[in-house]
Amino acid sequence: PERRRILIVVSDGAPMDESTCAANGFDYLDAHLAAVARHIETRSPVKLAAIGIAHDVSSFYANATRVSNVDDLGPALTTKLLT
């Protein structure tokens, strides 16, 4: 019943798992992440935002921010919640 639903992803890079990549190809996890993010952004009432720690995550998320280090995470989270 909440008027606003927000999902904030905090990431230190692209998804990576050697076994999954070996069985399905190198881009499998990247493609899956991009598809899930796109689905949430276009077909869900949930507002999706992402913060990359020393990594640009804008290739996966439309509403993405990059911070240089973990010390900048608090202010970035606050900004995402207020916008």
Side-chain angles (χ1 to χ4, degrees):
E2 300 300 325
R3 291 185 301 119
R4 188 170 174 221
R5 296 177 186 167
I6 305 168
L7 173 62
I8 299 177
V9 176
V10 177
S11 175
D12 64 351
M16 184 55 152
D17 171 57
E18 285 187 34
S19 298
T20 302
C21 289
N24 300 288
F26 184 73
D27 292 335
Y28 180 80
L29 292 174
D30 286 359
H32 181 261
L33 175 57
V36 170
R38 191 170 43 254
H39 176 82
I40 293 170
E41 291 169 347
T42 60
R43 297 185 178 146
S44 172
V46 175
K47 179 181 177 184
L48 181 61
I51 300 171
I53 300 174
H55 184 77
D56 180 14
V57 294
S58 63
S59 62
F60 299 109
Y61 307 97
N63 182 4
T65 300
R66 180 186 181 277
V67 295
S68 297
N69 59 59
V70 74
D71 294 332
D72 300 326
L73 185 57
L77 281 168
T78 302
T79 300
K80 290 292 182 194
L81 290 171
L82 294 175
T83 59

Coordinates of all heavy atoms in Angstrom, one line a residue:
P1 N 0.8 -1.2 0.0 CA 0.0 0.0 0.0 C 0.8 1.3 0.0 O 0.3 2.4 0.0 CB -0.8 -0.1 1.3 CG 0.1 -0.9 2.2 CD 0.8 -1.9 1.3
E2 N 2.2 1.1 0.0 CA 3.0 2.3 0.0 C 2.9 3.1 -1.3 O 2.7 2.5 -2.4 CB 4.5 2.0 0.2 CG 4.7 1.2 1.5 CD 4.4 2.0 2.7 OE1 4.5 3.2 2.7 OE2 3.9 1.4 3.7
R3 N 2.9 4.5 -1.2 CA 2.8 5.3 -2.4 C 4.0 5.2 -3.3 O 3.9 5.3 -4.5 CB 2.5 6.8 -2.0 CG 1.2 7.0 -1.4 CD 0.9 8.5 -1.1 NE 1.9 9.1 -0.2 CZ 2.8 10.0 -0.6 NH1 2.7 10.6 -1.7 NH2 3.7 10.5 0.3
R4 N 5.1 5.0 -2.6 CA 6.4 5.0 -3.4 C 7.2 3.8 -2.9 O 7.4 3.5 -1.8 CB 7.1 6.3 -3.0 CG 8.3 6.6 -3.8 CD 8.8 8.0 -3.5 NE 10.1 8.2 -4.1 CZ 11.1 8.9 -3.6 NH1 11.0 9.4 -2.4 NH2 12.2 9.0 -4.2
R5 N 7.7 3.1 -3.9 CA 8.6 1.9 -3.7 C 9.9 2.2 -4.4 O 9.9 2.5 -5.6 CB 7.9 0.7 -4.2 CG 6.7 0.3 -3.5 CD 6.0 -0.9 -4.0 NE 4.7 -1.1 -3.4 CZ 3.8 -1.9 -3.8 NH1 4.0 -2.6 -4.9 NH2 2.7 -2.0 -3.2
I6 N 11.0 2.0 -3.7 CA 12.3 2.2 -4.2 C 13.2 1.0 -4.0 O 13.2 0.5 -2.9 CB 13.0 3.5 -3.5 CG1 12.1 4.7 -3.6 CG2 14.3 3.8 -4.1 CD1 12.5 5.8 -2.8
L7 N 13.9 0.6 -5.0 CA 14.9 -0.4 -4.9 C 16.2 0.2 -5.3 O 16.4 0.7 -6.4 CB 14.6 -1.6 -5.8 CG 15.7 -2.7 -5.9 CD1 15.9 -3.3 -4.6 CD2 15.2 -3.7 -7.0
I8 N 17.2 0.3 -4.4 CA 18.5 0.8 -4.6 C 19.5 -0.3 -4.6 O 19.7 -1.0 -3.6 CB 18.9 1.9 -3.6 CG1 17.9 3.1 -3.7 CG2 20.3 2.4 -3.9 CD1 18.1 4.1 -2.7
V9 N 20.2 -0.4 -5.7 CA 21.3 -1.4 -5.9 C 22.6 -0.8 -5.6 O 22.9 0.3 -6.2 CB 21.2 -2.0 -7.3 CG1 22.4 -3.0 -7.5 CG2 19.9 -2.7 -7.6
V10 N 23.4 -1.4 -4.7 CA 24.7 -0.9 -4.5 C 25.7 -2.0 -5.0 O 25.6 -3.1 -4.7 CB 25.0 -0.7 -3.0 CG1 26.4 -0.2 -2.7 CG2 24.0 0.4 -2.4
S11 N 26.6 -1.6 -5.9 CA 27.4 -2.6 -6.6 C 28.8 -2.2 -6.7 O 29.2 -1.0 -6.8 CB 26.8 -2.7 -8.1 OG 27.7 -3.5 -8.8
D12 N 29.7 -3.2 -6.7 CA 31.1 -2.9 -6.9 C 31.6 -3.4 -8.2 O 32.8 -3.5 -8.5 CB 32.0 -3.6 -5.8 CG 31.9 -5.1 -5.8 OD1 31.0 -5.6 -6.5 OD2 32.6 -5.7 -5.0
G13 N 30.7 -3.6 -9.1 CA 31.0 -4.0 -10.5 C 29.9 -4.8 -11.2 O 28.9 -5.0 -10.6
A14 N 30.3 -5.4 -12.3 CA 29.4 -6.2 -13.0 C 29.3 -7.6 -12.4 O 30.2 -8.0 -11.7 CB 29.9 -6.4 -14.5
P15 N 28.2 -8.3 -12.6 CA 28.1 -9.6 -12.0 C 29.1 -10.6 -12.6 O 29.4 -10.5 -13.8 CB 26.7 -10.1 -12.4 CG 26.3 -9.3 -13.6 CD 27.1 -8.0 -13.5
M16 N 29.7 -11.5 -11.8 CA 30.7 -12.4 -12.3 C 30.7 -13.6 -11.4 O 30.6 -13.6 -10.2 CB 32.1 -11.7 -12.1 CG 33.2 -12.5 -12.7 SD 32.8 -13.0 -14.4 CE 34.4 -13.1 -15.0
D17 N 30.6 -14.8 -12.1 CA 30.7 -16.1 -11.5 C 31.3 -17.0 -12.6 O 30.8 -17.2 -13.7 CB 29.3 -16.5 -11.2 CG 29.3 -18.0 -10.7 OD1 30.0 -18.3 -9.8 OD2 28.5 -18.8 -11.4
E18 N 32.5 -17.5 -12.3 CA 33.2 -18.3 -13.3 C 32.5 -19.5 -13.8 O 32.5 -19.8 -15.0 CB 34.6 -18.8 -12.7 CG 35.6 -17.7 -12.6 CD 36.9 -18.2 -12.1 OE1 37.3 -19.3 -12.5 OE2 37.6 -17.4 -11.4
S19 N 31.8 -20.2 -12.9 CA 31.0 -21.4 -13.3 C 29.9 -21.1 -14.3 O 29.7 -21.7 -15.3 CB 30.4 -22.2 -12.1 OG 31.4 -22.6 -11.3
T20 N 29.1 -20.0 -14.0 CA 28.1 -19.6 -14.8 C 28.6 -19.1 -16.2 O 28.0 -19.4 -17.2 CB 27.2 -18.4 -14.2 OG1 26.7 -18.9 -12.9 CG2 26.1 -18.0 -15.0
C21 N 29.7 -18.3 -16.2 CA 30.3 -17.9 -17.4 C 30.8 -19.0 -18.3 O 30.6 -19.0 -19.5 CB 31.4 -16.9 -17.1 SG 30.8 -15.3 -16.5
A22 N 31.4 -20.0 -17.6 CA 31.9 -21.2 -18.4 C 30.8 -22.0 -19.0 O 30.9 -22.4 -20.1 CB 32.7 -22.1 -17.4
A23 N 29.7 -22.1 -18.3 CA 28.6 -22.9 -18.9 C 27.7 -22.1 -19.9 O 27.1 -22.7 -20.7 CB 27.7 -23.3 -17.7
N24 N 27.6 -20.8 -19.7 CA 26.7 -20.0 -20.5 C 27.3 -18.9 -21.4 O 26.6 -18.2 -22.1 CB 25.6 -19.3 -19.6 CG 24.9 -20.4 -18.8 OD1 24.1 -21.1 -19.4 ND2 25.2 -20.5 -17.5
G25 N 28.6 -18.6 -21.3 CA 29.2 -17.6 -22.0 C 29.4 -16.4 -21.1 O 28.8 -16.1 -20.1
F26 N 30.4 -15.6 -21.5 CA 30.9 -14.4 -20.7 C 29.8 -13.4 -20.5 O 29.7 -12.8 -19.4 CB 32.1 -13.8 -21.4 CG 32.7 -12.7 -20.6 CD1 33.4 -13.0 -19.4 CD2 32.6 -11.4 -21.0 CE1 34.0 -12.0 -18.7 CE2 33.1 -10.3 -20.2 CZ 33.8 -10.6 -19.1
D27 N 28.9 -13.1 -21.5 CA 28.0 -12.0 -21.4 C 26.6 -12.5 -20.7 O 25.7 -11.7 -20.6 CB 27.7 -11.4 -22.7 CG 28.9 -10.7 -23.3 OD1 29.7 -10.2 -22.5 OD2 29.0 -10.6 -24.5
Y28 N 26.5 -13.7 -20.3 CA 25.2 -14.2 -19.8 C 24.7 -13.4 -18.6 O 23.6 -13.0 -18.6 CB 25.4 -15.7 -19.5 CG 24.1 -16.4 -19.0 CD1 23.2 -16.8 -19.8 CD2 24.0 -16.6 -17.6 CE1 22.0 -17.4 -19.3 CE2 22.8 -17.2 -17.1 CZ 21.9 -17.6 -18.0 OH 20.7 -18.2 -17.5
L29 N 25.5 -13.3 -17.6 CA 25.1 -12.6 -16.4 C 24.8 -11.1 -16.7 O 23.9 -10.5 -16.1 CB 26.1 -12.7 -15.3 CG 26.2 -14.2 -14.7 CD1 27.3 -14.3 -13.7 CD2 24.9 -14.6 -14.1
D30 N 25.7 -10.5 -17.5 CA 25.5 -9.0 -17.9 C 24.1 -8.9 -18.6 O 23.4 -8.0 -18.3 CB 26.6 -8.5 -18.8 CG 27.9 -8.3 -18.0 OD1 27.9 -8.5 -16.8 OD2 28.8 -7.9 -18.7
A31 N 23.8 -9.8 -19.5 CA 22.6 -9.7 -20.3 C 21.4 -9.9 -19.4 O 20.4 -9.2 -19.5 CB 22.6 -10.7 -21.4
H32 N 21.5 -10.8 -18.4 CA 20.4 -11.1 -17.5 C 20.1 -9.9 -16.6 O 19.0 -9.5 -16.4 CB 20.7 -12.3 -16.7 CG 19.6 -12.7 -15.7 ND1 19.6 -12.3 -14.4 CD2 18.4 -13.3 -15.9 CE1 18.5 -12.7 -13.8 NE2 17.8 -13.3 -14.7
L33 N 21.2 -9.3 -16.0 CA 21.1 -8.1 -15.2 C 20.4 -7.0 -16.0 O 19.5 -6.3 -15.5 CB 22.4 -7.7 -14.6 CG 22.4 -6.4 -13.8 CD1 21.5 -6.5 -12.6 CD2 23.8 -6.1 -13.4
A34 N 20.9 -6.8 -17.2 CA 20.3 -5.7 -18.0 C 18.8 -5.9 -18.3 O 18.0 -5.0 -18.2 CB 21.1 -5.5 -19.3
A35 N 18.5 -7.1 -18.6 CA 17.1 -7.5 -18.8 C 16.2 -7.3 -17.6 O 15.1 -6.7 -17.7 CB 16.9 -8.9 -19.4
V36 N 16.7 -7.7 -16.5 CA 15.9 -7.6 -15.2 C 15.7 -6.1 -14.9 O 14.6 -5.6 -14.5 CB 16.5 -8.4 -14.1 CG1 15.9 -8.0 -12.7 CG2 16.4 -9.9 -14.4
A37 N 16.8 -5.3 -15.0 CA 16.8 -3.9 -14.7 C 15.8 -3.2 -15.6 O 15.0 -2.4 -15.2 CB 18.1 -3.3 -14.7
R38 N 15.9 -3.5 -16.9 CA 15.0 -2.9 -17.9 C 13.5 -3.2 -17.6 O 12.6 -2.4 -17.7 CB 15.4 -3.4 -19.3 CG 14.7 -2.6 -20.4 CD 15.4 -2.9 -21.8 NE 15.6 -4.4 -22.0 CZ 16.9 -4.9 -22.0 NH1 17.9 -4.1 -21.8 NH2 17.0 -6.2 -22.2
H39 N 13.3 -4.5 -17.2 CA 11.9 -4.9 -16.8 C 11.4 -4.1 -15.6 O 10.2 -3.6 -15.7 CB 11.9 -6.4 -16.5 CG 10.5 -6.9 -16.0 ND1 9.5 -7.2 -16.9 CD2 10.0 -7.1 -14.8 CE1 8.5 -7.6 -16.2 NE2 8.8 -7.5 -14.9
I40 N 12.2 -4.0 -14.6 CA 11.8 -3.2 -13.4 C 11.5 -1.7 -13.8 O 10.5 -1.1 -13.4 CB 12.8 -3.3 -12.3 CG1 12.8 -4.8 -11.8 CG2 12.5 -2.3 -11.2 CD1 13.9 -5.0 -10.8
E41 N 12.4 -1.2 -14.6 CA 12.3 0.3 -15.0 C 11.1 0.5 -15.8 O 10.6 1.6 -15.8 CB 13.6 0.7 -15.7 CG 14.8 0.7 -14.7 CD 16.1 0.9 -15.5 OE1 16.2 0.8 -16.7 OE2 17.1 1.2 -14.8
T42 N 10.7 -0.4 -16.7 CA 9.6 -0.1 -17.6 C 8.3 -0.7 -17.3 O 7.3 -0.3 -17.7 CB 10.0 -0.6 -19.0 OG1 10.3 -2.0 -19.0 CG2 11.3 0.1 -19.5
R43 N 8.3 -1.8 -16.4 CA 7.0 -2.5 -16.2 C 6.6 -2.6 -14.7 O 5.7 -3.4 -14.4 CB 7.1 -3.9 -16.8 CG 7.3 -3.8 -18.3 CD 7.2 -5.2 -18.9 NE 7.3 -5.1 -20.4 CZ 7.9 -6.0 -21.1 NH1 8.4 -7.0 -20.6 NH2 8.0 -5.8 -22.4
S44 N 7.3 -2.0 -13.9 CA 7.1 -2.2 -12.4 C 6.8 -0.8 -11.8 O 7.4 0.2 -12.2 CB 8.3 -2.8 -11.8 OG 8.2 -2.8 -10.4
P45 N 6.0 -0.8 -10.7 CA 5.8 0.5 -10.0 C 7.0 0.8 -9.1 O 7.0 1.9 -8.5 CB 4.6 0.2 -9.2 CG 4.6 -1.3 -9.0 CD 5.2 -1.9 -10.2
V46 N 8.0 -0.1 -9.0 CA 9.2 0.2 -8.2 C 10.1 1.1 -8.9 O 10.4 0.9 -10.1 CB 9.9 -1.2 -7.9 CG1 11.2 -0.9 -7.1 CG2 8.9 -2.1 -7.1
K47 N 10.6 2.1 -8.2 CA 11.6 3.0 -8.8 C 13.0 2.4 -8.5 O 13.3 2.0 -7.4 CB 11.5 4.4 -8.1 CG 12.6 5.3 -8.6 CD 12.5 6.7 -7.9 CE 13.7 7.5 -8.4 NZ 13.7 8.8 -7.7
L48 N 13.7 2.1 -9.6 CA 15.0 1.5 -9.5 C 16.1 2.5 -9.6 O 16.1 3.3 -10.5 CB 15.1 0.4 -10.6 CG 16.4 -0.4 -10.7 CD1 16.6 -1.2 -9.4 CD2 16.4 -1.3 -11.9
A49 N 17.1 2.4 -8.7 CA 18.2 3.3 -8.7 C 19.5 2.5 -8.4 O 19.3 1.4 -7.8 CB 18.1 4.4 -7.8
A50 N 20.6 2.9 -8.8 CA 21.8 2.1 -8.6 C 23.0 3.1 -8.2 O 23.1 4.2 -8.7 CB 22.2 1.3 -9.8
I51 N 23.9 2.6 -7.3 CA 25.1 3.3 -7.0 C 26.2 2.3 -7.2 O 26.3 1.3 -6.6 CB 25.0 3.8 -5.5 CG1 23.8 4.7 -5.3 CG2 26.3 4.5 -5.1 CD1 23.6 5.0 -3.8
G52 N 27.2 2.8 -8.0 CA 28.4 2.0 -8.3 C 29.5 2.5 -7.4 O 29.8 3.7 -7.4
I53 N 30.1 1.6 -6.7 CA 31.3 2.1 -5.9 C 32.5 1.8 -6.7 O 32.9 0.7 -7.0 CB 31.4 1.3 -4.5 CG1 30.1 1.5 -3.7 CG2 32.6 1.7 -3.7 CD1 30.0 0.6 -2.5
A54 N 33.1 3.0 -7.1 CA 34.3 3.0 -8.0 C 34.1 2.2 -9.3 O 35.0 1.6 -9.8 CB 35.5 2.4 -7.2
H55 N 32.8 2.2 -9.7 CA 32.5 1.5 -10.9 C 31.3 2.1 -11.6 O 30.3 2.4 -10.9 CB 32.2 0.0 -10.6 CG 31.9 -0.8 -11.8 ND1 32.9 -1.3 -12.7 CD2 30.8 -1.3 -12.4 CE1 32.4 -2.0 -13.6 NE2 31.1 -2.0 -13.5
D56 N 31.3 2.3 -12.9 CA 30.2 2.9 -13.6 C 29.1 1.8 -13.9 O 29.4 0.9 -14.6 CB 30.6 3.6 -14.9 CG 29.5 4.2 -15.7 OD1 28.4 4.4 -15.1 OD2 29.8 4.5 -16.8
V57 N 28.0 2.0 -13.3 CA 26.9 1.0 -13.5 C 25.8 1.5 -14.5 O 24.8 0.8 -14.6 CB 26.3 0.5 -12.2 CG1 27.3 -0.3 -11.4 CG2 25.8 1.6 -11.4
S58 N 26.1 2.6 -15.1 CA 25.0 3.2 -16.0 C 24.7 2.3 -17.2 O 23.7 2.5 -17.9 CB 25.4 4.6 -16.4 OG 26.6 4.5 -17.2
S59 N 25.5 1.3 -17.6 CA 25.2 0.5 -18.7 C 24.1 -0.5 -18.3 O 23.5 -1.1 -19.2 CB 26.5 -0.3 -19.1 OG 27.0 -1.1 -18.1
F60 N 23.9 -0.7 -17.0 CA 22.8 -1.6 -16.5 C 21.6 -0.8 -16.0 O 20.5 -1.4 -16.2 CB 23.3 -2.5 -15.4 CG 24.5 -3.3 -15.8 CD1 25.7 -3.1 -15.3 CD2 24.3 -4.4 -16.6 CE1 26.8 -3.9 -15.6 CE2 25.3 -5.3 -17.0 CZ 26.6 -5.0 -16.5
Y61 N 21.8 0.3 -15.5 CA 20.7 1.1 -14.8 C 20.5 2.5 -15.4 O 21.5 3.2 -15.5 CB 20.9 1.2 -13.3 CG 21.2 -0.2 -12.7 CD1 22.5 -0.6 -12.4 CD2 20.2 -1.0 -12.3 CE1 22.8 -1.8 -11.8 CE2 20.4 -2.2 -11.7 CZ 21.7 -2.6 -11.5 OH 22.0 -3.8 -10.9
A62 N 19.3 2.9 -15.7 CA 19.1 4.2 -16.2 C 19.4 5.3 -15.2 O 19.9 6.4 -15.5 CB 17.6 4.3 -16.7
N63 N 19.0 5.0 -13.9 CA 19.2 6.0 -12.8 C 20.4 5.5 -12.0 O 20.2 4.9 -11.0 CB 17.9 6.0 -12.0 CG 18.0 7.0 -10.8 OD1 19.0 7.7 -10.7 ND2 17.0 7.0 -10.0
A64 N 21.6 5.8 -12.5 CA 22.8 5.3 -11.9 C 23.7 6.5 -11.4 O 23.8 7.5 -12.1 CB 23.6 4.4 -12.8
T65 N 24.4 6.3 -10.3 CA 25.4 7.2 -9.8 C 26.7 6.4 -9.5 O 26.6 5.3 -9.0 CB 24.9 7.9 -8.5 OG1 23.7 8.6 -8.8 CG2 25.9 8.8 -7.9
R66 N 27.8 7.1 -9.7 CA 29.1 6.4 -9.3 C 29.7 7.2 -8.2 O 29.7 8.5 -8.2 CB 30.0 6.5 -10.5 CG 31.4 5.8 -10.2 CD 32.3 6.0 -11.4 NE 33.6 5.4 -11.2 CZ 34.6 6.0 -10.5 NH1 34.5 7.2 -10.0 NH2 35.8 5.4 -10.4
V67 N 30.1 6.5 -7.2 CA 30.9 7.2 -6.1 C 32.3 6.6 -6.1 O 32.5 5.5 -6.5 CB 30.2 7.0 -4.7 CG1 28.9 7.7 -4.6 CG2 30.1 5.5 -4.3
S68 N 33.2 7.5 -5.6 CA 34.6 7.1 -5.7 C 35.0 6.0 -4.7 O 35.8 5.1 -4.9 CB 35.5 8.3 -5.5 OG 35.3 9.2 -6.5
N69 N 34.4 6.1 -3.5 CA 34.7 5.1 -2.4 C 33.5 5.0 -1.5 O 32.6 5.7 -1.6 CB 36.0 5.6 -1.7 CG 35.8 6.9 -1.0 OD1 35.0 7.1 -0.2 ND2 36.7 7.8 -1.3
V70 N 33.6 4.0 -0.6 CA 32.5 3.7 0.2 C 32.1 4.8 1.2 O 31.0 4.9 1.6 CB 32.8 2.3 1.0 CG1 33.8 2.5 2.1 CG2 31.5 1.7 1.5
D71 N 33.1 5.7 1.5 CA 32.8 6.8 2.4 C 31.7 7.8 1.7 O 31.1 8.5 2.5 CB 34.0 7.6 2.7 CG 35.0 6.8 3.5 OD1 34.6 5.9 4.2 OD2 36.2 7.1 3.4
D72 N 31.6 7.8 0.4 CA 30.6 8.6 -0.3 C 29.3 8.0 -0.4 O 28.4 8.6 -1.0 CB 31.2 9.0 -1.7 CG 32.5 9.7 -1.6 OD1 32.7 10.5 -0.6 OD2 33.3 9.5 -2.5
L73 N 29.1 6.7 0.1 CA 27.9 6.0 -0.1 C 26.7 6.6 0.6 O 25.6 6.7 0.1 CB 28.1 4.5 0.3 CG 26.9 3.6 0.1 CD1 26.6 3.6 -1.4 CD2 27.3 2.2 0.6
G74 N 26.9 7.0 1.8 CA 25.8 7.6 2.6 C 25.1 8.8 1.9 O 23.9 8.8 1.8
P75 N 25.9 9.8 1.6 CA 25.3 11.0 0.9 C 24.6 10.5 -0.5 O 23.5 11.1 -0.8 CB 26.4 11.9 0.6 CG 27.4 11.6 1.7 CD 27.3 10.1 1.9
A76 N 25.2 9.6 -1.2 CA 24.6 9.2 -2.5 C 23.3 8.5 -2.2 O 22.3 8.7 -3.0 CB 25.6 8.2 -3.2
L77 N 23.2 7.6 -1.2 CA 22.0 7.0 -0.8 C 20.9 8.0 -0.5 O 19.7 7.9 -0.9 CB 22.2 6.0 0.3 CG 22.8 4.7 0.0 CD1 23.2 3.9 1.3 CD2 21.8 3.8 -0.8
T78 N 21.2 9.0 0.3 CA 20.3 10.0 0.7 C 19.8 10.7 -0.5 O 18.5 11.0 -0.6 CB 21.0 11.0 1.7 OG1 21.4 10.3 2.8 CG2 20.0 12.1 2.1
T79 N 20.6 11.1 -1.4 CA 20.2 11.7 -2.7 C 19.2 10.9 -3.5 O 18.2 11.4 -3.9 CB 21.4 12.1 -3.5 OG1 22.3 13.0 -2.8 CG2 21.0 12.8 -4.8
K80 N 19.5 9.6 -3.6 CA 18.6 8.7 -4.4 C 17.3 8.6 -3.7 O 16.3 8.5 -4.4 CB 19.3 7.3 -4.5 CG 20.4 7.3 -5.4 CD 20.0 7.5 -6.8 CE 21.2 7.4 -7.8 NZ 20.9 7.9 -9.1
L81 N 17.2 8.6 -2.4 CA 16.0 8.5 -1.7 C 15.1 9.7 -1.8 O 13.9 9.7 -1.8 CB 16.2 8.1 -0.2 CG 16.7 6.7 0.0 CD1 17.1 6.5 1.5 CD2 15.7 5.7 -0.4
L82 N 15.8 10.9 -1.9 CA 15.1 12.1 -1.9 C 14.6 12.5 -3.3 O 13.8 13.4 -3.4 CB 15.9 13.2 -1.3 CG 16.2 13.1 0.2 CD1 17.2 14.2 0.7 CD2 14.9 13.1 1.0
T83 N 15.1 11.9 -4.3 CA 14.7 12.3 -5.7 C 13.8 11.3 -6.3 O 13.5 10.3 -5.8 CB 16.0 12.4 -6.6 OG1 16.6 11.1 -6.6 CG2 16.9 13.5 -6.2

